[in-house]
């Protein structure tokens, strides 16, 4: 009996030792496996942009946002910039952000008006007299209000940068007065307020994908188009449109939209790095865009284009013709926002 008891104790001790060894090995194995994984918190930020690689917004993203964020995060955040709508056009990339499938969509405001109606204020013809006025509106209370509206739709707008003022080109004649637009087929974005404005001016607006514009101009399907100078210069529109008029009819901001789903999952330090980088990016992009606008305007003249610079009085004739668009947009966004916008602009102009 005594021998049987001793054997049982021996078996229990051996079993315990074996169990301890197995558990210990399993634990060591798990720790080893964890150590081999990438450190937690590593982030890859992809930026989708529909513009060409030479566009100011792409240049600023690659030369300012990317290096700042990667250095400030000690390499924990990697930034990848994609131009030419490789990751989708403005609409598709914005939806990917909302779904948490893409980090950043760099987009204009016009395609988002259906989702966020208040952004339609930037479709008002001749709203701003200068880029500096636009800066103060976007960086002020109205910009903050619109950022809140975007957040409600799953988008964090990290920064306001710009496409800039849109100007007119055509292949038929110089445009100095609204009457000069009569019968001209002008490509526009698929935006109801842009269409309304060009109809009011006497033109025949033709919505069309930007990718189709150069060929359509070559073939005479359309007579002209409207875009900021750096945009259409990069696309070599001057090769098929000799006449340029600096109408500055619409100021187009750009948005630097982050997926709210992804952004909210980051710690406060990561969020602040992204916000700081975006602010530096936006200031740099505005400067690059405005410099390019002047440089490319001179280049157009040097290349033999007829560039017509409208005076303030000449612009007023266009503005008077498009007053109905103000009323249409007020119905869309409400009188409260429009009154605030007018009040802010009046205050800005009074101080200048």
């Amino acid at each position: 009996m005594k021998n049987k008891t001793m054997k049982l104790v021996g078996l229990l001790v051996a079993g315990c030792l074996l169990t301890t060894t197995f558990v210990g090995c399993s634990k060591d194995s798990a720790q080893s496996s964890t150590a081999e994984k990438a450190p937690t918190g590593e982030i890859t930020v992809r930026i989708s942009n529909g513009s060409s690689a030479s566009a100011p917004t792409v240049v600023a993203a690659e030369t300012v946002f990317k290096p700042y964020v990667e250095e400030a995060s000690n390499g924990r955040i990697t930034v990848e910039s994609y131009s030419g709508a490789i990751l989708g056009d403005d609409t598709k990339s914005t939806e990917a952000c909302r779904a948490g499938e893409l980090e950043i969509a760099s987009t204009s405001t016009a395609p988002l008006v259906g989702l966020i109606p208040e952004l339609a204020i930037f479709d008002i013809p001749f709203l701003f007299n200068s880029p500096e006025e636009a800066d103060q509106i976007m960086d002020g209370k109205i910009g903050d209000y619109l950022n809140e509206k975007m957040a409600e739709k799953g988008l964090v707008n990290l920064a306001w940068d710009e496409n800039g003022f849109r100007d007119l080109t055509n292949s038929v004649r110089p445009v100095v007065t609204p009457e000069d637009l009569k019968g001209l087929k002008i490509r526009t974005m698929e935006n109801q307020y842009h269409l309304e404005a060009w109809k009011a001016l006497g033109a025949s607006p033709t919505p069309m994908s930007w990718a189709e514009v150069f060929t359509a101009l070559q073939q005479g399907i359309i007579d002209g188009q409207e875009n900021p100078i750096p945009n259409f210069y990069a696309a070599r529109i001057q090769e098929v449109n000799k006449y340029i008029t600096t109408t500055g009819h619409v100021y187009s901001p750009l948005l630097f939209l982050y997926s709210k789903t992804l952004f909210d999952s980051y710690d406060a330090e990561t969020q602040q790095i992204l916000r700081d980088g975006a602010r530096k990016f936006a200031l740099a992009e505005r400067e690059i865009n405005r410099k390019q606008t002047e440089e490319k305007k001179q280049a157009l003249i040097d290349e033999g284009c007829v560039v017509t610079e409208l005076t303030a009085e000449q612009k007023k004739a266009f503005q008077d013709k498009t007053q109905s668009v103000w009323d249409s947009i007020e119905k869309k966004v409400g009188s409260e926002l429009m009154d605030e916008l007018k009040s802010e602009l009046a205050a800005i102009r009074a101080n200048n």
Side-chain angles (χ1 to χ4, degrees), residues 11 17 29 71 133 317:
L11 287 170
L17 288 172
S29 177
E71 182 177 349
E133 284 188 359

Side-chain angles (χ1 to χ4, degrees), residues 268-295:
E269 181 185 5
T270 298
Q271 290 180 348
Q272 194 58 51
I273 288 171
L274 292 168
R275 288 190 184 279
D276 291 344
R279 179 60 180 167
K280 292 176 184 295
F281 149 80
L283 293 175
E285 194 278 342
R286 294 177 193 175
E287 184 177 347
I288 293 168
N289 190 63
R290 291 164 197 180
K291 183 179 179 182
Q292 277 197 18
T293 298
E294 293 307 311
E295 291 175 347

Side-chain angles (χ1 to χ4, degrees), residues 60 64 90 132 144 211:
V64 178
D90 286 357
E132 291 72 27
D144 291 342

Side-chain angles (χ1 to χ4, degrees), residues 128-139:
F128 298 124
N129 292 333
S130 69
E132 291 72 27
E133 284 188 359
D135 291 346
Q136 292 182 70
I137 291 296
M138 293 186 297
D139 296 339

Side-chain angles (χ1 to χ4, degrees), residues 97-140:
C97 276
R98 295 184 70 203
E101 298 167 355
L102 174 69
E103 288 74 28
I104 294 179
S106 180
T107 175
S108 59
T109 57
L112 274 75
V113 169
L115 179 66
I116 303 146
E118 291 82 0
L119 290 174
I121 63 171
F122 295 113
D123 295 322
I124 296 173
F126 305 98
L127 176 62
F128 298 124
N129 292 333
S130 69
E132 291 72 27
E133 284 188 359
D135 291 346
Q136 292 182 70
I137 291 296
M138 293 186 297
D139 296 339

Side-chain angles (χ1 to χ4, degrees), residues 235-265:
R236 303 303 298 168
I237 296 298
Q238 63 272 25
E239 294 178 6
V240 285
N241 272 187
K242 178 181 179 180
Y243 302 103
I244 292 97
T245 303
T246 58
T247 48
H249 50 277
V250 166
Y251 175 86
S252 293
L254 288 176
L255 305 168
F256 206 55
L257 300 174
Y258 213 103
S259 166
K260 191 172 189 299
T261 298
L262 297 175
F263 193 79
D264 288 350
S265 71

Side-chain angles (χ1 to χ4, degrees), residues 170-187:
N170 83 94
S171 60
V172 180
R173 56 180 170 265
V175 172
V176 183
T177 69
E179 289 70 29
D180 296 326
L181 286 166
K182 187 174 181 180
L184 292 185
K185 298 186 290 293
I186 306 298
R187 178 268 176 182

